[in-house]
Amino acid sequence: MGVFSFKGGVHPPYNKDLTNSKSIVPANLPKELVIPMSQHIGAPCEPTVAVGDNVKEGQLIGKSTSFVSAPIHSPTSGKVKKIEERLHPLSKKVLSVVIEPDGENEKVYMEPLGDDPAKIDAEKILERVKEAGIVGMGGATFPTHIKFSPPKDKPIDTLILNGCECEPYLTADHRIMLERGNDVVLGARMIAKVLKVKRIIIAIENNKPDAIEELKSLSSPYDIEVVATATKYPQGAEKMLIKALLDREVPSGGLPMDVGVVVSNVGTSAAVCEAVRDGKPLIERVVTVTGNAVKKPGNFLSKIGIPIASLVEQAGGVEGNLGKIIMGGPMMGISQPSMDVPIMKGSSGILLLQKEDYMTLDFRACIKCSFCVRVCPVHLLPSTLSIIGEAKKWELAEKYGVNDCIECGSCAYVCPSKRPIVHFIKTTKAKLREIKAMEKK
Ligand code: SF4
Ligand code: SF4
């Protein structure tokens, strides 16, 4: 079978060799865990505990009655020290439950449902995914139980497990596939049962041949296809993956379910497996701590709520002249003003760059070279969108399809004028949302 790909995209330096051979190690618990009540797309949770309460690992500590939300559980046993606003990775303060671990690791997980998808009701699996607070762990953080409940008029025929991990530097998914491949495959079979799909495809970029081999071997008793995709950014974006594997195009403004597909990250699949088989809610995740400003880059199994500073310390501390702290990868990650922010359900990596690793040139006018147009994977005109955004002509941007932008950053990466195209696009989208909300009012 050939290697699947898509039109457009870029080839940034991948720098995955800093951590791709580093096994996952459990991170030590710091003095306090800070668990934000908003870690997902949708309504934030309200705390269900009070200051002074003793909590156990897996205990519910936050929930919401809104449809689009995901409950939050205590990552360890200990005492609730404070409930207050704390710094959040999206650079604002958010109500957070602060827990002081007691080192006892007392657990209150849900009842295990078994490890044979054939013997578990699809509804029970779906309910468990909801109760466990699982969200898209590739960074999207959309509540998974909603993604797995498409409306009846959108029949799904294919589940794609996304193991591309196309962001440079990040290797958390790579290590999960190598070290927890059984969980990934079992999770995929559980998700397929919920969606009632026969076809499961696991897609992995061809720069991870060991993971491809491992998952091929683990999948062989089942009807699961494991395919290699080209190593190209943003191969792991849902729309690119669907086009590359199935030659189906998600319509403008649409979702994968509009073309009969659900895409789920491999880490999410492993979390589904744990929730169903072991009754374990989503309280920890694998995080790559990397970059040239980290002494000993590695992959850590981190409880939700561990501050970045603690993980960096466990990775040997800062090396050299620290310039930038990014949560996520260099292309789509979010720059952090401090290392006080905690790991959340969607935090796949912490990237620390030395000052010399990146340029901070002022941007210049567009020279109409069209480099950005050639790499845009969704065939937009990034140059035009950046000019419109700079001129604040918000409504005009809508006509140029600004809402179809997947914010991959490929355009900004190739721009010789160093134009902050994604920043202009994000601002335009936010303004358009504001305008729509005002109109509704
Ligand atoms: S316009 Fe959007 S989708 Fe196109 S390359 Fe730029 S960030 Fe990616
Ligand atoms: S790459 Fe930069 S300079 Fe070239 S057309 Fe696009 S926005 Fe303009």
Side-chain angles (χ1 to χ4, degrees), residues 123-187:
E123 292 71 27
K124 276 197 173 167
I125 298 176
L126 185 61
E127 187 55 29
R128 175 52 56 87
V129 170
K130 183 178 176 187
E131 286 169 347
I134 297 176
V135 301
M137 293 172 75
T141 68
F142 189 71
T144 301
H145 65 279
I146 300 176
K147 196 180 209 183
F148 292 172
S149 317
K152 285 207 166 60
D153 62 342
K154 306 271 181 202
I156 305 297
D157 60 35
T158 307
L159 165 66
I160 298 176
L161 269 209
N162 189 351
C164 289
E165 201 170 45
C166 60
E167 266 273 3
Y169 285 96
L170 303 186
T171 59
D173 286 350
H174 187 176
R175 295 309 309 180
I176 288 172
M177 290 187 281
L178 287 179
E179 297 178 47
R180 294 184 52 204
N182 272 318
D183 291 359
V184 172
V185 171
L186 181 50

Side-chain angles (χ1 to χ4, degrees), residues 47-58:
T48 56
V49 287
V51 174
D53 283 0
N54 287 312
V55 290
K56 292 184 178 162
E57 178 175 317

Side-chain angles (χ1 to χ4, degrees), residues 365-372 383 386 411 414-417 419 421:
C366 171
I367 56 169
K368 300 199 165 36
C369 64
S370 84
F371 288 175
C372 58
S383 46
S386 84
C411 48
V414 295
C415 177
S417 293
R419 292 181 62 74
I421 306 174

Side-chain angles (χ1 to χ4, degrees), residues 61-76:
I61 58 168
K63 67 175 184 182
S64 162
T65 50
S66 294
F67 177 65
V68 182
S69 191
I72 294 170
H73 304 79
S74 179
T76 189

Side-chain angles (χ1 to χ4, degrees), residues 22 36 55 141 153 156 164 195 204 211 345 359 361 380 397 427 437:
K22 303 279 176 73
V55 290
T141 68
D153 62 342
I156 305 297
C164 289
L195 297 170
I204 305 170
K345 293 177 181 181
M359 292 183 296
L361 294 177
L380 298 174
T427 309

Side-chain angles (χ1 to χ4, degrees), residues 375-378 380 382 385 405-411 422 425:
V375 299
C376 178
V378 288
L380 298 174
L385 288 173
C405 168
I406 58 170
E407 298 172 16
C408 68
S410 300
C411 48
V422 186
I425 289 175

